[in-house]
């Protein structure tokens, strides 16, 4: 499959390298980007041209952290504390995914909405249930959305009805890994909920399975101070919260959500271990005991930072809304100019939302040669009328601040159109 | 004109009194609410019924602070400081409204977008220009949007090309007041930009005009610490920033935007003088030197608090987005549980967005008897699919977190339908 996409192209080559082409051409072949160009060379003029003149053409975005099973109640129950929210609402509702009929119904709505969102790559928590998780994987695979999906493992500090045995969890994780062997879009991911809810034997077992099958891994890290104190109590032998994952092989090239209160020593380890840190600004401001990730500090240190909707701590799949809040919170850190903290700008935010996070999937999140042809076609002009005409950079910034899903005209993942606005 | 609106009704009677009626009826007569009811009495069954079953029916929202002339470039140029933003972008662009053709074009787009927004009442800054401001007033009047609109007065700390003389400003303000005499929806509002840009004689004159014609008044107050220090320097005789308005008669029953760094003494004065404090969370997080309004403190003290989009410091007319951020920022204040600050909840946010601010316009922002029939019809179910069914309170909260203008089905102001989604 080979075609050309025409429109106003913008993408990052790295954190500090941003490219834009007005009325440009994007050459796609066999699901990969060949090249983004200012004009069409003669030999390509006979190829199929998909004309989106006037629309913004951006790389697909990566949502590095979200709980698919919580999607149904996002934006509700936000005025309780994290623990009350988990015990009273989330645990019982995750438990309901034992019922496959329920899982099918709920995950179908989730995947339908994810298709219409700006997300092309996602790293997802399901629930403790093998069959429910597999149903989610099948729906994502069918939708053509590239994703890492994990059974959520937990065996302490949670109600019995949503707790596993170590042996049961081992069996289920291995079974899921095997079932996903021939999936093109969906890959398994070892997913301890977080250290608080996994005993040492559970963590050890998960590290072993990960090593044996060479799969990805994700969890939560350093989200709030209470949690960190509790982890210290639960794991007196660990050097740090980060170490509770590292010592069992669950840190190396993993995806870690939140990472707000990271010590200098943890930073060093996280960088060495090539960890992807996920900024979840919506969630961190919705959950009352959160905080603000010092994104600039991590970027300056050369770490991987991506964005996460963290539905349902976050209330929306809209990653632009998350990036906007990321920019705003980077300014809140600096209120009154007190902290000499350089706020994020829109181009840096685009990087975090695309290449910064999507590179966990390999060559993804950019329009450089050989990258996955994940393409967003966005109507930022009719969607958000103005009496002024802007260049691409201003349009991108405006989009960052005001985009909602109704702006999305079409979405391609790995070169295949997965959504088109009617 | 008399009719009944059917749907899922929610509104505040006061900050702590929230009402909701599933499948309820709203009786509207001559532009006013007669009653919100659980069932339809016999004598009303023959009246015209507008059936919005399944939709949320909320009071119209009041945007207490926005700059109409800045609408065109909202969401751009957000990574510069306030002063650079004013000097480099905003002042030249406001100056362009001297050209009536430009004003017509730009204000038309603004008013068209305002019609499609959740806003039914607005308190608006135009520019220094009489004719441009009048064009805006005509467009708002024609659209049927209730608004206070002001010529923006300034004669210091601004470029010559956007500065007035005191006499010129007097003449223009009086002329606008006279021209608006027979307008039904639009009323004049004395509008010193802020103390920094108005000399003592200018402020004195504006106070005199206000007194003579008995009109409304608005300005900015206590937005950032640098500004406050500058005002102190400019007005060494004033007791406080608040006093610079009070001593010339521009504080009493005025609308004051931002009010972040308010001293206890200023709080006392602001309450005594019945001032409406406008929380502009989007703007305060976009502008790098901002801060967070301590909303809870003001509500506890019994002050009027409304919401303001503050376009283009704020990037959106969407007042739900502003209320969401108001809730989020009220949690940021409390990060780590340090400040024992009780965050806002969705019902309180609805109050701030409706009755809290709209009451500046008289009986408005609620569905109590005799209130203006400002009605929003919102599709929160199709607009934001879920596999769960929620009660009205949960739906309201979900809406607060996720609403965008594409959810709006219809909007009525003073009983008249001003917008309907196609």
């Amino acid at each position: 499959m080979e075609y050309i996409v025409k429109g106003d192209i913008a993408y990052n080559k790295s954190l500090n390298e941003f490219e834009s082409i007005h009325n440009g051409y994007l050459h796609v072949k066999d699901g990969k980007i060949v090249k983004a160009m200012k004009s069409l060379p003669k030999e390509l003029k006979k190829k199929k041209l998909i004309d989106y003149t006037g629309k913004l053409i951006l790389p697909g975005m990566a949502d590095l952290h979200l709980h698919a099973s919580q999607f149904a109640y996002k934006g509700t129950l936000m005025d309780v504390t994290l623990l009350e929210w988990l015990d009273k609402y989330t645990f019982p509702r995750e438990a309901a995914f034992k019922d496959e009929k329920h899982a099918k119904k709920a995950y179908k709505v989730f995947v339908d909405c994810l298709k219409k969102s700006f997300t092309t790559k996602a790293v997802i928590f399901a629930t403790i249930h093998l069959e429910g998780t597999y149903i989610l994987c099948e729906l994502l695979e069918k939708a053509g959305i590239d994703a890492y999906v994990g059974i959520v493992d937990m065996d302490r500090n949670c109600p019995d009805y949503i707790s596993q045995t170590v042996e049961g969890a081992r069996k289920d994780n291995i079974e899921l890994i095997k079932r996903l062997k021939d999936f093109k879009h969906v890959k398994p991911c070892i997913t301890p909920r977080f250290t608080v809810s996994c005993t040492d034997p559970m963590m050890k077992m998960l590290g072993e399975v990960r090593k044996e099958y060479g799969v990805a891994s994700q969890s939560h890290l350093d989200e709030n101070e209470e949690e960190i104190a509790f982890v210290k109590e639960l794991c007196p032998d660990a050097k740090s919260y980060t170490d509770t994952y590292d010592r069992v092989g669950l840190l190396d090239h993993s995806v870690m959500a939140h990472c707000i209160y990271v010590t200098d020593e943890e930073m060093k380890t996280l960088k060495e271990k090539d960890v992807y840190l996920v900024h979840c600004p919506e969630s961190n401001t919705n959950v009352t005991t959160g905080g603000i990730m010092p994104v600039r500090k991590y970027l300056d240190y050369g770490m991987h930072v991506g964005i996460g909707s963290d539905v349902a701590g976050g209330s929306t799949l809209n990653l632009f809304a998350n990036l906007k809040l990321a920019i705003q919170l980077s300014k809140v850190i600096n209120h009154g100019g007190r902290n000499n903290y350089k706020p994020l700008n829109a181009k840096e935010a685009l990087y975090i939302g695309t290449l910064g996070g999507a590179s966990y999937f390999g060559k993804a999140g950019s329009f450089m040669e050989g990258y996955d042809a994940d393409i967003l076609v966005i109507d930022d002009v009719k969607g958000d009328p103005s009496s002024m005409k802007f260049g691409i950079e201003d349009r991108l910034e405006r989009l960052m601040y005001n985009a909602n899903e109704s702006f999305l005209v079409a979405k391609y993942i790995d070169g295949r159109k997965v959504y088109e606005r009617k």
Side-chain angles (χ1 to χ4, degrees), chain A:
Chain A
M1 201 166 51
E2 189 173 6
Y3 56 84
I4 313 289
V5 171
K6 187 181 178 190
D8 296 329
I9 297 168
Y11 63 102
N12 292 82
K13 285 179 155 179
S14 69
L15 174 59
N16 297 310
E17 290 171 287
F18 172 81
E19 298 283 330
S20 68
I21 312 172
H22 178 61
N23 276 333
Y25 300 88
L26 198 57
H27 181 192
V28 177
K29 194 175 174 184
D30 301 331
K32 303 287 178 188
I33 302 294
V34 182
K35 207 178 172 185
M37 300 160 287
K38 281 187 186 167
S39 58
L40 209 54
K42 206 176 161 192
E43 68 272 19
L44 289 180
K45 288 198 173 159
K46 283 187 181 167
K47 301 287 176 199
K48 180 184 170 189
L49 181 93
I50 311 178
D51 191 348
Y52 295 118
T53 299
K55 305 285 183 290
L56 274 181
I57 311 291
L58 302 179
M61 303 177 85
D63 190 340
L64 287 195
H65 183 61
L66 81 100
H67 296 260
S69 60
Q70 298 171 10
F71 180 75
Y73 53 99
K74 71 185 168 53
T76 63
L77 312 164
M78 303 268 47
D79 56 352
V80 296
T81 61
L82 179 58
L83 282 185
E84 191 184 348
W85 183 77
L86 283 172
D87 284 338
K88 205 162 154 187
Y89 303 108
T90 291
F91 287 155
R93 286 171 180 184
E94 288 197 7
F97 283 77
K98 191 178 177 184
D99 173 8
E100 292 173 37
K101 245 171 86 180
H102 174 78
K104 249 175 218 161
K105 185 182 158 199
Y107 284 144
K108 188 179 178 317
V109 177
F110 163 70
V111 173
D112 283 348
C113 288
L114 194 63
K115 273 172 76 171
K116 296 173 193 170
S117 78
F118 302 111
T119 300
T120 55
K121 310 279 193 208
V123 183
I124 300 176
F125 279 54
T127 63
I128 60 163
H129 312 94
L130 167 66
E131 296 305 333
T133 305
Y134 184 64
I135 286 166
L136 171 62
C137 293
E138 285 183 307
L139 287 164
L140 289 163
E141 179 75 10
K142 203 176 153 198
I145 297 167
D146 292 328
Y148 288 99
V149 178
I151 290 172
V152 180
D153 298 299
M154 48 205 289
D155 69 338
R156 72 172 166 195
N157 295 312
C158 57
D160 283 346
Y161 64 79
I162 197 161
S163 182
Q164 304 153 297
T165 62
V166 174
E167 264 323 294
R170 182 199 303 269
K171 233 181 89 194
D172 286 349
N173 271 284
I174 292 172
E175 174 65 18
L176 185 69
I177 291 167
K178 289 183 175 167
R179 286 197 203 171
L180 297 182
K181 202 166 57 72
D182 296 326
F183 276 50
K184 277 184 185 166
H185 297 282
V186 181
K187 292 186 172 69
C189 191
I190 298 297
T191 307
R193 187 170 205 115
F194 64 151
T195 305
V196 169
S197 48
C198 294
T199 59
D200 289 359
M202 177 65 91
M203 292 287 260
K204 194 161 163 276
M205 178 280 291
L206 292 172
E208 288 162 7
V209 173
R210 186 185 188 207
K211 194 175 172 195
E212 189 177 343
Y213 292 91
V215 294
S217 143
Q218 66 178 334
S219 197
H220 298 94
L221 179 66
D222 289 335
E223 181 176 2
N224 78 62
E225 291 165 310
E226 244 183 308
E227 169 207 17
I228 295 168
F230 195 18
V231 169
K232 206 167 181 177
E233 205 179 290
L234 291 167
C235 308
D237 302 334
K239 281 182 280 178
S240 66
Y241 192 169
T242 295
D243 189 47
T244 63
Y245 298 109
D246 196 21
R247 64 184 182 174
V248 291
L250 290 173
L251 190 70
D252 200 39
H253 197 60
S254 68
V255 175
M256 285 290 166
H258 306 305
C259 301
I260 295 169
Y261 303 97
V262 173
T263 66
D264 289 350
E265 203 183 312
E266 283 178 292
M267 262 179 78
K268 200 163 161 269
T269 309
L270 291 166
K271 189 182 175 184
E272 276 169 15
K273 298 285 175 164
D274 198 39
V275 173
Y276 278 67
L277 282 62
V278 193
H279 186 25
C280 306
E282 288 279 349
S283 170
N284 299 151
T285 40
N286 289 339
V287 176
T288 47
T289 49
I292 303 174
M293 183 201 257
V295 180
R296 172 70 62 198
K297 188 174 157 189
Y298 298 158
L299 292 175
D300 285 350
Y301 195 62
M303 300 170 94
H304 298 292
V305 180
I307 198 86
S309 68
D310 194 17
V311 162
S315 58
T316 177
L317 291 176
N318 181 351
L319 292 180
F320 283 116
N322 273 281
L323 293 174
K324 172 185 181 175
L325 190 57
I327 294 172
Q328 291 175 320
L329 292 178
S330 77
K331 292 176 178 176
V332 167
I333 291 185
N334 208 31
H335 269 163
R338 286 181 190 82
N339 293 310
N340 197 24
Y341 184 93
K342 192 177 157 208
L344 300 173
N345 64 38
K347 288 185 280 186
E348 290 168 329
L350 182 69
Y351 168 81
I352 292 168
T354 58
L355 185 56
S359 58
Y360 190 73
F361 290 76
K363 282 187 161 188
S366 180
F367 291 148
M368 294 184 284
E369 192 189 337
Y371 275 62
D372 289 355
D374 294 353
I375 304 166
L376 303 178
V377 183
I378 296 175
D379 173 7
D380 64 310
V381 175
K382 273 197 190 170
D384 193 10
S386 171
S387 56
M388 285 174 67
K389 278 190 181 154
F390 298 98
I392 293 180
E393 287 194 28
D394 286 331
R395 285 169 62 190
L396 174 71
E397 187 179 8
R398 214 166 70 101
L399 184 74
M400 196 72 70
Y401 280 87
N402 288 320
N404 65 59
E405 282 83 353
S406 72
F407 290 25
L408 189 66
V409 172
K411 180 164 96 173
Y412 298 76
I413 302 180
D414 302 314
R416 179 183 157 222
K417 183 156 66 188
V418 298
Y419 171 73
E420 182 157 35
R421 189 171 69 185
K422 277 161 209 163

